[in-house]
Each structure stands twice: as C-alpha cells, then as structure tokens.
Amino acid sequence: MFDNKNDSKTSISELGEFGLIDHLTKNFKIKQDTTVKGIGDDAAVITSEENNQIVVTTDMLVEGVHFDLSYMPLKHLGYKTVVVNLSDVFAMNAKANQITVSIAVSNRFPVEALEELYAGIETAASIYNVDVVGGDTTSSTTGLVISVTALGQVSKENITYRSGAKENDLLVLTGDVGAAYLGLQVLEREKQVFKVNPKSQPDLDKYTYIIERQLKPEARQGISVLLKDLDVKPTSMIDVSDGLSSEIIHICKNSKVGCNLYEDKIPLDPQVISTCEEFEMDSTTIALSGGEDYELLFTISTEDFPKIKGNPHLTVIGHMTQESEGMHLITRANTKIPLVARGWNSMQEDN
C-alpha cells in the first residue's frame, strides 16, 4: 500500500508555495458536519456542537530527531504524523474532527516525495474520518519538519483529564506495550548492517508486528465509544507516547495520588518477549520506558471493574494509592521498586 512506483522528480520551485499546497491538498474532501470551511481561504471555519468543548493538540516531528528516512517510508511518516496527534485527542475521551498540516522542507525533496507524504496523511484522514482543513508550507535548510494540529469535540460531562484519578481507582491499559521501541531497535540494527554491506537483504518476517507498531502505529479511536457502551466513565486518561512509567507518573502527579503497578499484569506481545530475549533486554524495562505505543492508559472506579472484566482490549495493571505512598512497581517477586520516568525525551542531548 505504501510503495512508491513513481521515479519522476519535479522540483518544488516549479509549482511555488501556493501551487504546491493546491497540488498536495486537491484530494482532501470534507466529511465532518462541524467543518464549515476547509482549505482555500485565509482560515478554516469550524463550528461546535451544542454543549461540546473543543480540544486542540499539536505535535511537531523533526527529521533526525523523531524519524529517520533511511527506513521510514514517506507514506508511513505521513500516516504516523496524523495518528500520533489523534491519539492525544482520544486521550481526552474526545472525538477527532479536523487536522491542519504544516511542513518545512528542503530542496532535496522533489514534489513526488511530498506526494508520498501527503498520500499517507490522506489515508490516515480517511481511516480516522477527519478533515484536513489547513496548514502551511515553507522552506527548510536542514531537512523535513512536520507539524500537525488536531481538533476534536467532547461533551463537558465526558471530557477526561490527567487530574481526576482517585485513591483506590484501578489503572487500566489498552492493547500491549513495548513493541514500537523494539521495532525501532530492529530497524536501527538493519541500518547498521546495510552501512557495512549495502547488498544485504534483511529478513524481517519474524518482526512484522513490532516493526509495524513503529512505522505505522494506530491510535485507539474506538475506546471512548467502547467505554460509553460499557457505561464506564474514566476518571483520568493519557496516551502512552513516552513510556508507560512516564505516563503513570504524569497521572499521579496531576491527580495527587500514588500508584502500585504490577509487573505480571503488564500486557506484552509474544514478539516483544522473543525479541527482548534476542537483544538481551529486559521486557519490563522496555514496556516501562520504550514509548511510541499510542495505547491509552486510564483509571476507573473500582465499582466499574465488573463492566470491563474479561474485555480483550483492556487490562487492569494496577491501582491508585494515597499520594504519600508514592509510585511503585510491584515485581513478580513481590518487591516494591520506585517508578522512574526514563521514557523518550526529545530535549536530551544524546537523542
């Protein structure tokens, strides 16, 4: 789906800024009732449904910091850029409606490369049913920079913050964690092998799941609907982008509570376990610190446990405690270890 079969190259300067915008956005169609005016004017116009609040989030991805084009196809990058923003909207228990996309690009990228990028953006917008309503393009002297702003809506009674967790609430996680980080390790390893032997052909069949989690992640769009259908109102919520431990600490600090996270409850895919063994890594460390999983982490009242019990999409991994008790991992050996945030930090000098 994401292979580029077009070998022709057109200089961006041939189209100019406005011609490029028209060219890249000509296929975007308006689908949301709340979109009054999309691309084509000085600003987009968006309306709000009655009793709803608008949520807004922005993420910026920088080449060499957040992505490596030696193994990240441009279509996958466009898709992923949209998904990581929508994940933040879903973490507010909201429905995503619109996005804007802005890029800064150097002259090493032909128009056809940007067509690939926008094809991924278009695919994500179609799958997640959001409108692309604006953005900007400008030049870059170093590489590719992408900034996406996502907008969504949620009723006042259903909006969910990081700050609502209470003592004794259960800590719940969607899906599994650790796979995206391990996918990155496999890709980085194969990159180094390629540098030594450009003729080598990697065999990645046994890493399919973890590589897809890195290159083409999915956001948990359906969780808010699922919880509503189950008559469960989360008390706090956050998306897992920087590592499970970091996100738990965010909830605890914002909600002024402590937490006990149980090591044996953390959901891991079998491919994560086998790849950790191959790389001689500790799977719990990867789950806690890996990041880029884009699962949702939330808390619920203990009274709601029977409603989610046995649901294959949800796992109870711990519970909230008094703030004075602190934040801990309870190991398989029943030892208490303080939780430390060692997840992704784009400001670190060694990233």
Side-chain angles (χ1 to χ4, degrees):
M1 175 165 96
F2 287 127
D3 291 335
N4 180 12
K5 302 292 194 303
N6 190 346
D7 294 326
S8 63
K9 294 182 179 180
T10 306
S11 170
I12 292 174
S13 61
E14 290 184 33
L15 297 180
E17 179 185 355
F18 298 111
L20 179 64
I21 293 172
D22 290 341
H23 180 71
L24 294 176
T25 61
K26 62 185 178 183
N27 293 324
F28 292 131
K29 308 298 182 186
I30 299 301
K31 301 177 287 292
Q32 294 290 332
D33 293 338
T34 53
T35 304
V36 178
K37 178 67 177 177
I39 297 169
D41 220 304
D42 290 294
V45 180
I46 296 167
T47 187
S48 176
E49 296 173 355
E50 188 177 355
N51 195 43
N52 274 5
Q53 295 181 326
I54 296 177
V55 299
V56 183
T57 180
T58 300
D59 267 325
M60 182 179 290
L61 300 183
V62 179
E63 183 179 357
V65 178
H66 301 99
F67 59 88
D68 186 332
L69 290 178
S70 65
Y71 51 71
M72 169 65 82
L74 283 165
K75 278 190 177 179
H76 286 73
L77 178 61
Y79 190 94
K80 182 174 181 176
T81 305
V82 174
V83 166
V84 301
N85 278 268
L86 298 184
S87 182
D88 284 328
V89 173
F90 302 147
M92 303 298 292
N93 206 26
K95 174 182 178 290
N97 291 328
Q98 292 92 10
I99 60 171
T100 65
V101 181
S102 297
I103 61 171
V105 61
S106 68
N107 58 12
R108 87 173 200 268
F109 292 90
V111 170
E112 287 74 19
L114 299 185
E115 288 175 352
E116 289 288 293
L117 178 72
Y118 271 72
I121 292 169
E122 184 182 348
T123 299
S126 175
I127 289 175
Y128 287 91
N129 197 34
V130 295
D131 292 339
V132 181
V133 297
D136 190 23
T137 62
T138 189
S139 60
S140 165
T141 58
T142 55
L144 178 62
V145 179
I146 312 170
S147 178
V148 173
T149 297
L151 300 96
Q153 291 195 41
V154 59
S155 63
K156 294 177 181 179
E157 58 268 21
N158 286 326
I159 193 165
T160 307
Y161 300 101
R162 301 175 181 181
S163 55
K166 304 289 191 296
E167 181 185 351
N168 296 323
D169 278 358
L170 300 178
L171 186 65
V172 186
L173 179 69
T174 66
D176 57 79
V177 288
Y181 177 81
L182 287 172
L184 178 63
Q185 301 314 301
V186 170
L187 292 168
E188 284 287 346
R189 181 184 67 182
E190 296 306 321
K191 177 184 175 181
Q192 298 307 316
V193 171
F194 180 80
K195 284 182 178 179
V196 175
N197 180 14
K199 294 183 179 180
S200 66
Q201 292 294 321
D203 182 7
L204 302 177
D205 286 348
K206 67 176 182 177
Y207 307 113
T208 304
Y209 177 69
I210 62 175
I211 289 176
E212 183 170 353
R213 292 277 281 184
Q214 171 58 221
L215 296 183
K216 187 177 171 288
E218 301 293 351
R220 287 292 186 171
Q221 181 178 29
I223 293 301
S224 63
V225 176
L226 172 64
L227 294 177
K228 185 177 180 180
D229 290 344
L230 294 173
D231 192 28
V232 173
K233 170 69 166 69
T235 54
S236 68
M237 189 182 290
I238 192 171
D239 84 320
V240 183
S241 55
D242 299 325
L244 183 59
S245 59
S246 294
E247 315 305 0
I248 291 173
I249 290 171
H250 281 313
I251 287 179
C252 287
K253 288 186 174 179
N254 280 270
S255 298
K256 296 183 171 25
V257 293
C259 179
N260 284 333
L261 167 68
Y262 292 88
E263 182 181 23
D264 62 348
K265 300 297 184 183
I266 299 174
L268 302 173
D269 186 86
Q271 211 168 94
V272 168
I273 297 171
S274 62
T275 308
C276 279
E277 292 172 353
E278 179 185 348
F279 279 73
E280 297 183 349
M281 293 177 169
D282 178 67
S283 60
T284 300
T285 301
I286 299 306
L288 292 178
S289 304
E292 287 201 295
D293 293 302
Y294 303 108
E295 297 292 350
L296 292 178
L297 178 74
F298 59 95
T299 53
I300 63 171
S301 167
T302 53
E303 285 77 14
D304 283 334
F305 174 67
K307 300 175 185 177
I308 70 162
K309 184 179 179 182
N311 190 292
H313 303 289
L314 308 174
T315 304
V316 177
I317 60 173
H319 65 269
M320 315 316 283
T321 63
Q322 289 184 355
E323 185 178 20
S324 59
E325 291 188 28
M327 299 164 281
H328 294 91
L329 173 71
I330 311 300
T331 69
R332 293 183 180 88
N334 206 31
T335 303
K336 263 191 172 185
I337 301 175
L339 271 181
V340 180
R342 291 197 176 95
W344 164 253
N345 179 359
S346 63
M347 298 301 177
Q348 286 181 191
E349 293 182 1
D350 58 353
N351 276 330

